[in-house]
Amino acid sequence: MSQEASVLALALALSLAVGADSSAAPRRMPGAAPSGDKKGYGQACGANDLTFSARSESQAGGYILLSARAKPGITCTIPSGLPSVSFGSKGIEATSAEQAVGPAIKLSGSTTAYAGINPKTTNTNGGVEFTFLIAAIGTSDPNPASVSTGSVTVDKPIVTNWHTTPADTTPGDGTDN
């Protein structure tokens, strides 16, 4: 008997031994992933599937370039739409810098998605200083990530869609040109 057949036979025997029936909750082997878990390939990206980084850019008065790359062994798709970006525990949330959403982006290996964040769109001296942002893939992402930004002053921030090239992420003043 092959090793795979032995494992299947053992799993069947265990399910019979514990009295499994179709009305019971699914059972799993200790250490095995729950049946609803992501398998690492072809799913929609969540922030916990990605490695984020941020750096300052000088174009358009300065902005933050947010980069997202799939973690090793993960292939996932960022759906079309805006990233969810906020600052601080009070959740100063960035609004849209573009009038339409971009296409979905498949991430795997070295493929990187980029978004541009203008943390301060006002012409006043006000704002709140932060050293990190919270990034998520859309507003319903259950596992947002904290991303270090260095010191930035935040007042009415805006964010672009996800893009495949950094040059497309310059947020400007919040309106499409």
PDB file of all heavy atoms in Angstrom, residues 61-102:
ATOM      1  N   GLY A  61       5.184  67.198  -4.323  1.00  0.00           N
ATOM      2  CA  GLY A  61       5.192  67.740  -2.969  1.00  0.00           C
ATOM      3  C   GLY A  61       5.492  66.716  -1.895  1.00  0.00           C
ATOM      4  O   GLY A  61       5.493  67.029  -0.717  1.00  0.00           O
ATOM      5  N   GLY A  62       5.730  65.485  -2.297  1.00  0.00           N
ATOM      6  CA  GLY A  62       6.064  64.425  -1.360  1.00  0.00           C
ATOM      7  C   GLY A  62       4.891  63.512  -1.068  1.00  0.00           C
ATOM      8  O   GLY A  62       3.758  63.962  -0.916  1.00  0.00           O
ATOM      9  N   TYR A  63       5.149  62.227  -1.041  1.00  0.00           N
ATOM     10  CA  TYR A  63       4.128  61.241  -0.705  1.00  0.00           C
ATOM     11  C   TYR A  63       4.809  59.963  -0.234  1.00  0.00           C
ATOM     12  O   TYR A  63       6.027  59.839  -0.275  1.00  0.00           O
ATOM     13  CB  TYR A  63       3.191  60.977  -1.891  1.00  0.00           C
ATOM     14  CG  TYR A  63       3.799  60.234  -3.056  1.00  0.00           C
ATOM     15  CD1 TYR A  63       3.626  58.860  -3.204  1.00  0.00           C
ATOM     16  CD2 TYR A  63       4.533  60.903  -4.033  1.00  0.00           C
ATOM     17  CE1 TYR A  63       4.176  58.183  -4.286  1.00  0.00           C
ATOM     18  CE2 TYR A  63       5.083  60.238  -5.115  1.00  0.00           C
ATOM     19  CZ  TYR A  63       4.900  58.874  -5.227  1.00  0.00           C
ATOM     20  OH  TYR A  63       5.444  58.201  -6.293  1.00  0.00           O
ATOM     21  N   ILE A  64       4.013  59.035   0.239  1.00  0.00           N
ATOM     22  CA  ILE A  64       4.507  57.738   0.703  1.00  0.00           C
ATOM     23  C   ILE A  64       4.200  56.703  -0.373  1.00  0.00           C
ATOM     24  O   ILE A  64       3.044  56.590  -0.813  1.00  0.00           O
ATOM     25  CB  ILE A  64       3.817  57.324   2.022  1.00  0.00           C
ATOM     26  CG1 ILE A  64       4.115  58.348   3.110  1.00  0.00           C
ATOM     27  CG2 ILE A  64       4.260  55.920   2.447  1.00  0.00           C
ATOM     28  CD1 ILE A  64       3.226  58.200   4.332  1.00  0.00           C
ATOM     29  N   LEU A  65       5.209  55.961  -0.795  1.00  0.00           N
ATOM     30  CA  LEU A  65       5.014  54.856  -1.728  1.00  0.00           C
ATOM     31  C   LEU A  65       4.887  53.582  -0.906  1.00  0.00           C
ATOM     32  O   LEU A  65       5.825  53.172  -0.224  1.00  0.00           O
ATOM     33  CB  LEU A  65       6.191  54.746  -2.697  1.00  0.00           C
ATOM     34  CG  LEU A  65       6.099  53.605  -3.710  1.00  0.00           C
ATOM     35  CD1 LEU A  65       4.906  53.791  -4.642  1.00  0.00           C
ATOM     36  CD2 LEU A  65       7.391  53.496  -4.506  1.00  0.00           C
ATOM     37  N   LEU A  66       3.707  52.978  -0.942  1.00  0.00           N
ATOM     38  CA  LEU A  66       3.428  51.726  -0.233  1.00  0.00           C
ATOM     39  C   LEU A  66       3.609  50.573  -1.204  1.00  0.00           C
ATOM     40  O   LEU A  66       3.033  50.587  -2.295  1.00  0.00           O
ATOM     41  CB  LEU A  66       2.006  51.738   0.321  1.00  0.00           C
ATOM     42  CG  LEU A  66       1.543  50.509   1.085  1.00  0.00           C
ATOM     43  CD1 LEU A  66       2.347  50.337   2.385  1.00  0.00           C
ATOM     44  CD2 LEU A  66       0.049  50.606   1.392  1.00  0.00           C
ATOM     45  N   SER A  67       4.431  49.589  -0.827  1.00  0.00           N
ATOM     46  CA  SER A  67       4.668  48.411  -1.666  1.00  0.00           C
ATOM     47  C   SER A  67       4.142  47.176  -0.961  1.00  0.00           C
ATOM     48  O   SER A  67       4.276  47.049   0.257  1.00  0.00           O
ATOM     49  CB  SER A  67       6.168  48.226  -1.909  1.00  0.00           C
ATOM     50  OG  SER A  67       6.725  49.362  -2.502  1.00  0.00           O
ATOM     51  N   ALA A  68       3.556  46.266  -1.737  1.00  0.00           N
ATOM     52  CA  ALA A  68       3.047  45.008  -1.193  1.00  0.00           C
ATOM     53  C   ALA A  68       3.507  43.863  -2.079  1.00  0.00           C
ATOM     54  O   ALA A  68       3.365  43.924  -3.306  1.00  0.00           O
ATOM     55  CB  ALA A  68       1.528  45.033  -1.119  1.00  0.00           C
ATOM     56  N   ARG A  69       4.062  42.834  -1.468  1.00  0.00           N
ATOM     57  CA  ARG A  69       4.564  41.664  -2.188  1.00  0.00           C
ATOM     58  C   ARG A  69       4.070  40.414  -1.456  1.00  0.00           C
ATOM     59  O   ARG A  69       4.037  40.380  -0.229  1.00  0.00           O
ATOM     60  CB  ARG A  69       6.084  41.707  -2.198  1.00  0.00           C
ATOM     61  CG  ARG A  69       6.727  40.631  -3.048  1.00  0.00           C
ATOM     62  CD  ARG A  69       8.219  40.779  -3.036  1.00  0.00           C
ATOM     63  NE  ARG A  69       8.562  41.843  -3.982  1.00  0.00           N
ATOM     64  CZ  ARG A  69       9.784  42.208  -4.246  1.00  0.00           C
ATOM     65  NH1 ARG A  69      10.806  41.650  -3.644  1.00  0.00           N
ATOM     66  NH2 ARG A  69      10.029  43.155  -5.123  1.00  0.00           N
ATOM     67  N   ALA A  70       3.690  39.388  -2.211  1.00  0.00           N
ATOM     68  CA  ALA A  70       3.216  38.141  -1.596  1.00  0.00           C
ATOM     69  C   ALA A  70       4.348  37.489  -0.803  1.00  0.00           C
ATOM     70  O   ALA A  70       5.510  37.498  -1.225  1.00  0.00           O
ATOM     71  CB  ALA A  70       2.699  37.180  -2.661  1.00  0.00           C
ATOM     72  N   LYS A  71       4.003  36.938   0.354  1.00  0.00           N
ATOM     73  CA  LYS A  71       4.986  36.214   1.155  1.00  0.00           C
ATOM     74  C   LYS A  71       5.403  34.948   0.405  1.00  0.00           C
ATOM     75  O   LYS A  71       4.663  34.462  -0.470  1.00  0.00           O
ATOM     76  CB  LYS A  71       4.386  35.844   2.514  1.00  0.00           C
ATOM     77  CG  LYS A  71       4.179  37.054   3.405  1.00  0.00           C
ATOM     78  CD  LYS A  71       3.586  36.671   4.743  1.00  0.00           C
ATOM     79  CE  LYS A  71       3.433  37.905   5.625  1.00  0.00           C
ATOM     80  NZ  LYS A  71       2.753  37.587   6.893  1.00  0.00           N
ATOM     81  N   PRO A  72       6.573  34.385   0.722  1.00  0.00           N
ATOM     82  CA  PRO A  72       7.031  33.171   0.033  1.00  0.00           C
ATOM     83  C   PRO A  72       5.974  32.052   0.109  1.00  0.00           C
ATOM     84  O   PRO A  72       5.376  31.818   1.156  1.00  0.00           O
ATOM     85  CB  PRO A  72       8.294  32.780   0.807  1.00  0.00           C
ATOM     86  CG  PRO A  72       8.794  34.071   1.379  1.00  0.00           C
ATOM     87  CD  PRO A  72       7.555  34.864   1.717  1.00  0.00           C
ATOM     88  N   GLY A  73       5.744  31.418  -1.029  1.00  0.00           N
ATOM     89  CA  GLY A  73       4.783  30.311  -1.101  1.00  0.00           C
ATOM     90  C   GLY A  73       3.350  30.749  -1.314  1.00  0.00           C
ATOM     91  O   GLY A  73       2.460  29.911  -1.453  1.00  0.00           O
ATOM     92  N   ILE A  74       3.097  32.045  -1.352  1.00  0.00           N
ATOM     93  CA  ILE A  74       1.736  32.566  -1.531  1.00  0.00           C
ATOM     94  C   ILE A  74       1.586  33.111  -2.943  1.00  0.00           C
ATOM     95  O   ILE A  74       2.445  33.828  -3.441  1.00  0.00           O
ATOM     96  CB  ILE A  74       1.427  33.704  -0.529  1.00  0.00           C
ATOM     97  CG1 ILE A  74       1.530  33.230   0.912  1.00  0.00           C
ATOM     98  CG2 ILE A  74       0.073  34.353  -0.810  1.00  0.00           C
ATOM     99  CD1 ILE A  74       0.395  32.364   1.384  1.00  0.00           C
ATOM    100  N   THR A  75       0.479  32.762  -3.586  1.00  0.00           N
ATOM    101  CA  THR A  75       0.044  33.396  -4.825  1.00  0.00           C
ATOM    102  C   THR A  75      -1.362  33.877  -4.543  1.00  0.00           C
ATOM    103  O   THR A  75      -2.226  33.083  -4.165  1.00  0.00           O
ATOM    104  CB  THR A  75       0.037  32.408  -6.007  1.00  0.00           C
ATOM    105  OG1 THR A  75       1.377  31.981  -6.251  1.00  0.00           O
ATOM    106  CG2 THR A  75      -0.523  33.062  -7.259  1.00  0.00           C
ATOM    107  N   CYS A  76      -1.589  35.175  -4.688  1.00  0.00           N
ATOM    108  CA  CYS A  76      -2.908  35.712  -4.377  1.00  0.00           C
ATOM    109  C   CYS A  76      -3.191  36.909  -5.275  1.00  0.00           C
ATOM    110  O   CYS A  76      -2.304  37.410  -5.951  1.00  0.00           O
ATOM    111  CB  CYS A  76      -3.008  36.094  -2.901  1.00  0.00           C
ATOM    112  SG  CYS A  76      -1.858  37.379  -2.360  1.00  0.00           S
ATOM    113  N   THR A  77      -4.426  37.344  -5.257  1.00  0.00           N
ATOM    114  CA  THR A  77      -4.844  38.452  -6.107  1.00  0.00           C
ATOM    115  C   THR A  77      -5.386  39.584  -5.252  1.00  0.00           C
ATOM    116  O   THR A  77      -6.260  39.362  -4.405  1.00  0.00           O
ATOM    117  CB  THR A  77      -5.929  37.991  -7.102  1.00  0.00           C
ATOM    118  OG1 THR A  77      -5.391  36.930  -7.895  1.00  0.00           O
ATOM    119  CG2 THR A  77      -6.376  39.128  -8.001  1.00  0.00           C
ATOM    120  N   ILE A  78      -4.848  40.781  -5.476  1.00  0.00           N
ATOM    121  CA  ILE A  78      -5.417  41.978  -4.864  1.00  0.00           C
ATOM    122  C   ILE A  78      -6.601  42.363  -5.733  1.00  0.00           C
ATOM    123  O   ILE A  78      -6.440  42.643  -6.920  1.00  0.00           O
ATOM    124  CB  ILE A  78      -4.397  43.128  -4.802  1.00  0.00           C
ATOM    125  CG1 ILE A  78      -3.262  42.787  -3.840  1.00  0.00           C
ATOM    126  CG2 ILE A  78      -5.080  44.427  -4.400  1.00  0.00           C
ATOM    127  CD1 ILE A  78      -2.202  43.864  -3.723  1.00  0.00           C
ATOM    128  N   PRO A  79      -7.809  42.356  -5.172  1.00  0.00           N
ATOM    129  CA  PRO A  79      -8.974  42.706  -5.992  1.00  0.00           C
ATOM    130  C   PRO A  79      -8.932  44.175  -6.401  1.00  0.00           C
ATOM    131  O   PRO A  79      -8.251  44.988  -5.774  1.00  0.00           O
ATOM    132  CB  PRO A  79     -10.156  42.421  -5.056  1.00  0.00           C
ATOM    133  CG  PRO A  79      -9.596  42.408  -3.686  1.00  0.00           C
ATOM    134  CD  PRO A  79      -8.142  42.062  -3.793  1.00  0.00           C
ATOM    135  N   SER A  80      -9.657  44.496  -7.468  1.00  0.00           N
ATOM    136  CA  SER A  80      -9.709  45.900  -7.875  1.00  0.00           C
ATOM    137  C   SER A  80     -10.337  46.696  -6.742  1.00  0.00           C
ATOM    138  O   SER A  80     -11.218  46.227  -6.040  1.00  0.00           O
ATOM    139  CB  SER A  80     -10.499  46.062  -9.172  1.00  0.00           C
ATOM    140  OG  SER A  80     -11.831  45.650  -8.982  1.00  0.00           O
ATOM    141  N   GLY A  81      -9.836  47.875  -6.534  1.00  0.00           N
ATOM    142  CA  GLY A  81     -10.334  48.714  -5.441  1.00  0.00           C
ATOM    143  C   GLY A  81      -9.186  49.368  -4.712  1.00  0.00           C
ATOM    144  O   GLY A  81      -8.017  49.131  -5.003  1.00  0.00           O
ATOM    145  N   LEU A  82      -9.530  50.184  -3.756  1.00  0.00           N
ATOM    146  CA  LEU A  82      -8.532  50.924  -3.004  1.00  0.00           C
ATOM    147  C   LEU A  82      -7.990  50.097  -1.845  1.00  0.00           C
ATOM    148  O   LEU A  82      -8.730  49.335  -1.230  1.00  0.00           O
ATOM    149  CB  LEU A  82      -9.160  52.185  -2.393  1.00  0.00           C
ATOM    150  CG  LEU A  82      -9.587  53.273  -3.336  1.00  0.00           C
ATOM    151  CD1 LEU A  82     -10.377  54.325  -2.573  1.00  0.00           C
ATOM    152  CD2 LEU A  82      -8.382  53.899  -3.998  1.00  0.00           C
ATOM    153  N   PRO A  83      -6.710  50.304  -1.532  1.00  0.00           N
ATOM    154  CA  PRO A  83      -6.234  49.749  -0.270  1.00  0.00           C
ATOM    155  C   PRO A  83      -6.887  50.548   0.860  1.00  0.00           C
ATOM    156  O   PRO A  83      -7.292  51.691   0.675  1.00  0.00           O
ATOM    157  CB  PRO A  83      -4.725  50.001  -0.315  1.00  0.00           C
ATOM    158  CG  PRO A  83      -4.525  51.091  -1.291  1.00  0.00           C
ATOM    159  CD  PRO A  83      -5.671  51.031  -2.253  1.00  0.00           C
ATOM    160  N   SER A  84      -7.015  49.934   2.001  1.00  0.00           N
ATOM    161  CA  SER A  84      -7.494  50.649   3.177  1.00  0.00           C
ATOM    162  C   SER A  84      -6.265  51.111   3.941  1.00  0.00           C
ATOM    163  O   SER A  84      -5.461  50.291   4.377  1.00  0.00           O
ATOM    164  CB  SER A  84      -8.361  49.720   4.033  1.00  0.00           C
ATOM    165  OG  SER A  84      -8.768  50.393   5.199  1.00  0.00           O
ATOM    166  N   VAL A  85      -6.100  52.423   4.069  1.00  0.00           N
ATOM    167  CA  VAL A  85      -4.931  52.991   4.742  1.00  0.00           C
ATOM    168  C   VAL A  85      -5.424  53.955   5.802  1.00  0.00           C
ATOM    169  O   VAL A  85      -6.260  54.823   5.523  1.00  0.00           O
ATOM    170  CB  VAL A  85      -4.009  53.725   3.746  1.00  0.00           C
ATOM    171  CG1 VAL A  85      -2.896  54.453   4.461  1.00  0.00           C
ATOM    172  CG2 VAL A  85      -3.439  52.745   2.730  1.00  0.00           C
ATOM    173  N   SER A  86      -4.916  53.788   7.018  1.00  0.00           N
ATOM    174  CA  SER A  86      -5.258  54.719   8.089  1.00  0.00           C
ATOM    175  C   SER A  86      -4.034  54.969   8.950  1.00  0.00           C
ATOM    176  O   SER A  86      -3.043  54.239   8.886  1.00  0.00           O
ATOM    177  CB  SER A  86      -6.422  54.188   8.920  1.00  0.00           C
ATOM    178  OG  SER A  86      -6.097  52.948   9.500  1.00  0.00           O
ATOM    179  N   PHE A  87      -4.125  56.017   9.739  1.00  0.00           N
ATOM    180  CA  PHE A  87      -3.019  56.422  10.601  1.00  0.00           C
ATOM    181  C   PHE A  87      -3.514  56.488  12.035  1.00  0.00           C
ATOM    182  O   PHE A  87      -4.561  57.087  12.301  1.00  0.00           O
ATOM    183  CB  PHE A  87      -2.489  57.799  10.187  1.00  0.00           C
ATOM    184  CG  PHE A  87      -1.842  57.819   8.831  1.00  0.00           C
ATOM    185  CD1 PHE A  87      -2.589  57.987   7.688  1.00  0.00           C
ATOM    186  CD2 PHE A  87      -0.474  57.656   8.704  1.00  0.00           C
ATOM    187  CE1 PHE A  87      -1.994  58.009   6.429  1.00  0.00           C
ATOM    188  CE2 PHE A  87       0.142  57.669   7.465  1.00  0.00           C
ATOM    189  CZ  PHE A  87      -0.622  57.841   6.332  1.00  0.00           C
ATOM    190  N   GLY A  88      -2.751  55.901  12.942  1.00  0.00           N
ATOM    191  CA  GLY A  88      -3.022  56.039  14.366  1.00  0.00           C
ATOM    192  C   GLY A  88      -4.195  55.243  14.875  1.00  0.00           C
ATOM    193  O   GLY A  88      -4.983  54.681  14.115  1.00  0.00           O
ATOM    194  N   SER A  89      -4.305  55.217  16.196  1.00  0.00           N
ATOM    195  CA  SER A  89      -5.346  54.435  16.844  1.00  0.00           C
ATOM    196  C   SER A  89      -6.732  55.040  16.653  1.00  0.00           C
ATOM    197  O   SER A  89      -7.731  54.358  16.806  1.00  0.00           O
ATOM    198  CB  SER A  89      -5.037  54.287  18.333  1.00  0.00           C
ATOM    199  OG  SER A  89      -4.976  55.565  18.937  1.00  0.00           O
ATOM    200  N   LYS A  90      -6.804  56.315  16.298  1.00  0.00           N
ATOM    201  CA  LYS A  90      -8.098  56.950  16.042  1.00  0.00           C
ATOM    202  C   LYS A  90      -8.547  56.725  14.606  1.00  0.00           C
ATOM    203  O   LYS A  90      -9.629  57.136  14.218  1.00  0.00           O
ATOM    204  CB  LYS A  90      -8.056  58.434  16.374  1.00  0.00           C
ATOM    205  CG  LYS A  90      -7.885  58.675  17.856  1.00  0.00           C
ATOM    206  CD  LYS A  90      -7.958  60.133  18.199  1.00  0.00           C
ATOM    207  CE  LYS A  90      -7.774  60.284  19.701  1.00  0.00           C
ATOM    208  NZ  LYS A  90      -7.802  61.657  20.133  1.00  0.00           N
ATOM    209  N   GLY A  91      -7.697  56.109  13.796  1.00  0.00           N
ATOM    210  CA  GLY A  91      -8.075  55.721  12.447  1.00  0.00           C
ATOM    211  C   GLY A  91      -8.319  56.872  11.504  1.00  0.00           C
ATOM    212  O   GLY A  91      -9.369  56.949  10.884  1.00  0.00           O
ATOM    213  N   ILE A  92      -7.347  57.772  11.359  1.00  0.00           N
ATOM    214  CA  ILE A  92      -7.462  58.814  10.343  1.00  0.00           C
ATOM    215  C   ILE A  92      -7.309  58.102   8.999  1.00  0.00           C
ATOM    216  O   ILE A  92      -6.215  57.713   8.611  1.00  0.00           O
ATOM    217  CB  ILE A  92      -6.395  59.909  10.526  1.00  0.00           C
ATOM    218  CG1 ILE A  92      -6.545  60.576  11.890  1.00  0.00           C
ATOM    219  CG2 ILE A  92      -6.490  60.934   9.396  1.00  0.00           C
ATOM    220  CD1 ILE A  92      -5.424  61.548  12.218  1.00  0.00           C
ATOM    221  N   GLU A  93      -8.426  57.902   8.320  1.00  0.00           N
ATOM    222  CA  GLU A  93      -8.437  57.063   7.112  1.00  0.00           C
ATOM    223  C   GLU A  93      -8.211  57.881   5.850  1.00  0.00           C
ATOM    224  O   GLU A  93      -8.774  58.964   5.681  1.00  0.00           O
ATOM    225  CB  GLU A  93      -9.768  56.322   7.013  1.00  0.00           C
ATOM    226  CG  GLU A  93      -9.764  55.251   5.956  1.00  0.00           C
ATOM    227  CD  GLU A  93     -10.974  54.349   6.031  1.00  0.00           C
ATOM    228  OE1 GLU A  93     -11.637  54.316   7.065  1.00  0.00           O
ATOM    229  OE2 GLU A  93     -11.243  53.676   5.027  1.00  0.00           O
ATOM    230  N   ALA A  94      -7.373  57.337   4.966  1.00  0.00           N
ATOM    231  CA  ALA A  94      -7.124  57.972   3.671  1.00  0.00           C
ATOM    232  C   ALA A  94      -8.317  57.750   2.757  1.00  0.00           C
ATOM    233  O   ALA A  94      -8.887  56.659   2.710  1.00  0.00           O
ATOM    234  CB  ALA A  94      -5.855  57.397   3.044  1.00  0.00           C
ATOM    235  N   THR A  95      -8.689  58.790   2.021  1.00  0.00           N
ATOM    236  CA  THR A  95      -9.770  58.684   1.051  1.00  0.00           C
ATOM    237  C   THR A  95      -9.170  58.513  -0.344  1.00  0.00           C
ATOM    238  O   THR A  95      -7.962  58.614  -0.538  1.00  0.00           O
ATOM    239  CB  THR A  95     -10.681  59.931   1.094  1.00  0.00           C
ATOM    240  OG1 THR A  95      -9.896  61.091   0.817  1.00  0.00           O
ATOM    241  CG2 THR A  95     -11.350  60.073   2.460  1.00  0.00           C
ATOM    242  N   SER A  96     -10.015  58.298  -1.317  1.00  0.00           N
ATOM    243  CA  SER A  96      -9.582  58.002  -2.681  1.00  0.00           C
ATOM    244  C   SER A  96      -8.904  59.187  -3.359  1.00  0.00           C
ATOM    245  O   SER A  96      -9.398  60.308  -3.319  1.00  0.00           O
ATOM    246  CB  SER A  96     -10.776  57.563  -3.519  1.00  0.00           C
ATOM    247  OG  SER A  96     -10.371  57.325  -4.853  1.00  0.00           O
ATOM    248  N   ALA A  97      -7.783  58.898  -4.011  1.00  0.00           N
ATOM    249  CA  ALA A  97      -7.083  59.906  -4.812  1.00  0.00           C
ATOM    250  C   ALA A  97      -7.420  59.756  -6.286  1.00  0.00           C
ATOM    251  O   ALA A  97      -6.966  60.548  -7.108  1.00  0.00           O
ATOM    252  CB  ALA A  97      -5.570  59.774  -4.615  1.00  0.00           C
ATOM    253  N   GLU A  98      -8.192  58.743  -6.639  1.00  0.00           N
ATOM    254  CA  GLU A  98      -8.532  58.494  -8.035  1.00  0.00           C
ATOM    255  C   GLU A  98     -10.039  58.317  -8.164  1.00  0.00           C
ATOM    256  O   GLU A  98     -10.713  57.933  -7.211  1.00  0.00           O
ATOM    257  CB  GLU A  98      -7.802  57.249  -8.551  1.00  0.00           C
ATOM    258  CG  GLU A  98      -6.286  57.432  -8.537  1.00  0.00           C
ATOM    259  CD  GLU A  98      -5.550  56.204  -9.029  1.00  0.00           C
ATOM    260  OE1 GLU A  98      -5.361  55.276  -8.214  1.00  0.00           O
ATOM    261  OE2 GLU A  98      -5.160  56.192 -10.204  1.00  0.00           O
ATOM    262  N   GLN A  99     -10.546  58.570  -9.362  1.00  0.00           N
ATOM    263  CA  GLN A  99     -11.991  58.529  -9.570  1.00  0.00           C
ATOM    264  C   GLN A  99     -12.503  57.146  -9.957  1.00  0.00           C
ATOM    265  O   GLN A  99     -13.694  56.903  -9.897  1.00  0.00           O
ATOM    266  CB  GLN A  99     -12.380  59.545 -10.628  1.00  0.00           C
ATOM    267  CG  GLN A  99     -12.125  60.965 -10.170  1.00  0.00           C
ATOM    268  CD  GLN A  99     -12.422  61.990 -11.242  1.00  0.00           C
ATOM    269  OE1 GLN A  99     -12.855  61.659 -12.333  1.00  0.00           O
ATOM    270  NE2 GLN A  99     -12.187  63.249 -10.935  1.00  0.00           N
ATOM    271  N   ALA A 100     -11.636  56.243 -10.349  1.00  0.00           N
ATOM    272  CA  ALA A 100     -12.051  54.901 -10.737  1.00  0.00           C
ATOM    273  C   ALA A 100     -11.074  53.887 -10.137  1.00  0.00           C
ATOM    274  O   ALA A 100      -9.921  54.212  -9.864  1.00  0.00           O
ATOM    275  CB  ALA A 100     -12.052  54.772 -12.262  1.00  0.00           C
ATOM    276  N   VAL A 101     -11.560  52.668  -9.918  1.00  0.00           N
ATOM    277  CA  VAL A 101     -10.684  51.631  -9.376  1.00  0.00           C
ATOM    278  C   VAL A 101      -9.893  50.976 -10.502  1.00  0.00           C
ATOM    279  O   VAL A 101     -10.324  50.965 -11.654  1.00  0.00           O
ATOM    280  CB  VAL A 101     -11.473  50.557  -8.592  1.00  0.00           C
ATOM    281  CG1 VAL A 101     -12.138  51.176  -7.386  1.00  0.00           C
ATOM    282  CG2 VAL A 101     -12.476  49.860  -9.475  1.00  0.00           C
ATOM    283  N   GLY A 102      -8.730  50.457 -10.161  1.00  0.00           N
ATOM    284  CA  GLY A 102      -7.885  49.791 -11.144  1.00  0.00           C
ATOM    285  C   GLY A 102      -8.219  48.309 -11.244  1.00  0.00           C
ATOM    286  O   GLY A 102      -9.086  47.802 -10.535  1.00  0.00           O
TER     287      GLY A 102
END
